[in-house]
Amino acid sequence: MMSSENILIEKFNIPKDVIFLLEKAEEDVREEFKKVERIVEKNQYKILYAMQKNHLSDIHFNGTSGYGYGDIGRDTIEKIYSDIFSAEDALVRPQIVSGTHAISLCLYAVLRPNDELISACGTPYDTLADVIGGKERNNNTGSLIDFGVKYKEIPLLEGGKIDIDKLLGAISDKTKMVMIQRSKGYDFRNSLTINDIKNTIEKIKNKKKDLIVFVDNCYGEFTEELEPTDVGADLVAGSLIKNPGGGLSPTGGYVIGKKELVKNAAYRLYAPGIGKKVGPSLNINRLILEGLFLSPLIVGNALKGAIILSRIMEMLGYDVLPKFNESRTDIVQAVRFKTKEELITFIQSIQKGSPVDSHVVPEPWDMPGYNDQVIMAAGGFIQGASIELSADAPIRKPYTAYIQGGLSYYQVKLSLMIAINNMIEKGFIKI
């Protein structure tokens, strides 16, 4: 019987010195892996309890079509999500197609003409630019600014923390919502921890008690023991083809928080007066539930993959964020390369380690919603699923790749070995 090492050598052409390098890195990160496993365990118990409390049964796996009236599976899913997130209500629907879509629902659900939105984390990532609008965006497309919503941004402090003093100073009588972006997006900075978010919310509420705090929770679910709604967020949103879908949900997104706010989001998704009463689950209830059940374990695999990637790329002389032994609040790992060619080689190599489309070679292209060309490795079972291993980067200086996901830690490990070997062959690195 072939050993794992022999399979890597004979089937994937990985040299022994690359295998040894990975083994050395794994020794270095052993304690970090144990921390991840403790978080996985606590989140698994939390999800199990919510499913048991709501008497989850196989009858809830059945779906509906058409209007979706009386979908008890869908309604049970939303009760389970509400309990997991310590919230009053949840909207968990296949009709929400992405994180950007879920975030947009929250913004349009709450904000009205002359209300003010403040982004506490500077400029949001690229796909929200057209949602917010502005002088440099297309007008008359239904952006928030088209509808008379006022908008401010508070740049982050050096080091990626929220500038609390400037944020509090910017809040006015017209301020209706403060938006917090948990994950770094395409920024080379640390993401915000739950404790960061907690401290910010407390100060905002002390300043203006009725101000709505909305957290973009994409990439962050189950990476820590608590969620933003546990620490005072009024509303959170995310995608089911990221963390909480566990790699099984084929589509969908969620909005969770205060009952009235979730109701308004449902009105925006469907129609005023109808809201949560409609929305067929289209026979994917079981996949949403099974994915949720597995999500702590899957997120744990993704975190372990990010940790080993961080460690080994740092060993090879690259700037990484976060460092392998820093606290993590999302599944995103950033690596900064010296040249465009190194960046492209790395991302193309990640594609080669994929279970799907490993033979495809990604190239930079004009991706909708982005100002620069983007290269993306995404050989997954579900199109665009960021909980599956993917790597992408805007083609602009400094050349930074953002790697996230990994249903299997061993796939991340293999993809990393392929990338290192290809970069050695091209003369970018030596070991």
Side-chain angles (χ1 to χ4, degrees), residues 161-175:
K161 298 294 184 182
I162 291 174
D163 190 333
I164 298 291
D165 291 338
K166 281 191 178 178
L167 172 60
L168 296 179
I171 293 172
S172 69
D173 291 341
K174 289 190 175 181
T175 307

Side-chain angles (χ1 to χ4, degrees), residues 68 71-78 93 276-279 285:
D71 192 323
I72 61 172
R74 176 198 66 205
D75 295 344
T76 299
I77 288 169
E78 292 179 342
R93 304 294 170 109
K276 290 186 69 178
K277 297 183 181 70
V278 300
N285 282 343

Side-chain angles (χ1 to χ4, degrees), residues 266-278:
Y267 285 170
R268 179 72 192 186
L269 179 61
Y270 299 114
I274 298 175
K276 290 186 69 178
K277 297 183 181 70
V278 300

Side-chain angles (χ1 to χ4, degrees), residues 49-57 60 76 79-80 83:
Y49 178 74
M51 289 180 168
Q52 292 174 0
K53 176 186 172 185
N54 288 284
H55 300 155
L56 182 62
S57 174
H60 298 124
T76 299
K79 290 176 183 175
I80 289 169
D83 286 340

Side-chain angles (χ1 to χ4, degrees), residues 301-374:
N301 284 337
L303 289 172
K304 288 179 179 180
I307 289 167
I308 192 70
L309 193 152
S310 177
R311 178 57 183 147
I312 202 160
M313 297 307 287
E314 185 179 29
M315 289 167 65
L316 293 170
Y318 293 97
D319 288 337
V320 296
L321 203 69
K323 305 289 187 184
F324 80 95
N325 55 358
E326 288 184 301
S327 297
R328 291 174 182 268
T329 188
D330 65 11
I331 60 170
V332 182
Q333 177 63 47
V335 180
R336 185 161 280 176
F337 294 88
K338 301 175 183 69
T339 66
K340 173 182 173 181
E341 290 72 26
E342 286 177 277
L343 172 70
I344 291 173
T345 297
F346 179 85
I347 289 183
Q348 289 175 340
S349 301
I350 296 297
Q351 184 78 30
K352 289 182 180 179
S354 302
V356 181
D357 287 333
S358 62
H359 58 288
V360 173
V361 180
E363 297 287 348
W365 68 297
D366 298 316
M367 191 172 179
Y370 294 89
N371 294 325
D372 300 280
Q373 282 197 320
V374 173

Side-chain angles (χ1 to χ4, degrees), residues 68-124:
Y69 288 135
D71 192 323
I72 61 172
R74 176 198 66 205
D75 295 344
T76 299
I77 288 169
E78 292 179 342
K79 290 176 183 175
I80 289 169
Y81 263 85
S82 295
D83 286 340
I84 291 167
F85 280 73
S86 304
E88 293 177 5
D89 204 0
L91 182 72
V92 185
R93 304 294 170 109
Q95 288 81 23
I96 303 174
V97 298
S98 68
T100 300
H101 187 192
I103 294 162
S104 299
L105 288 177
C106 294
L107 299 177
Y108 284 102
V110 172
L111 298 164
R112 299 291 180 265
N114 293 317
D115 285 345
E116 183 177 74
L117 167 67
I118 298 179
S119 170
C121 300
T123 304

Side-chain angles (χ1 to χ4, degrees), residues 199-269:
N199 292 337
T200 301
I201 292 173
E202 287 175 352
K203 289 181 171 62
I204 289 171
K205 295 293 186 179
N206 286 336
K207 170 84 174 184
K208 190 177 182 184
K209 189 175 181 180
D210 63 346
L211 200 154
I212 295 166
V213 179
F214 163 58
V215 178
D216 165 10
N217 205 30
C218 290
Y219 304 104
E221 302 91 346
F222 310 130
T223 59
E224 295 193 65
E225 295 174 18
L226 298 175
E227 299 297 328
T229 39
D230 288 305
V231 296
D234 298 295
L235 203 57
V236 298
S239 167
L240 298 192
I241 61 171
K242 293 182 173 69
N243 303 19
L248 289 181
S249 181
T251 188
Y254 70 83
V255 172
I256 300 173
K258 297 287 178 62
K259 194 172 189 66
E260 191 68 19
L261 301 178
V262 172
K263 181 181 76 173
N264 286 343
Y267 285 170
R268 179 72 192 186
L269 179 61

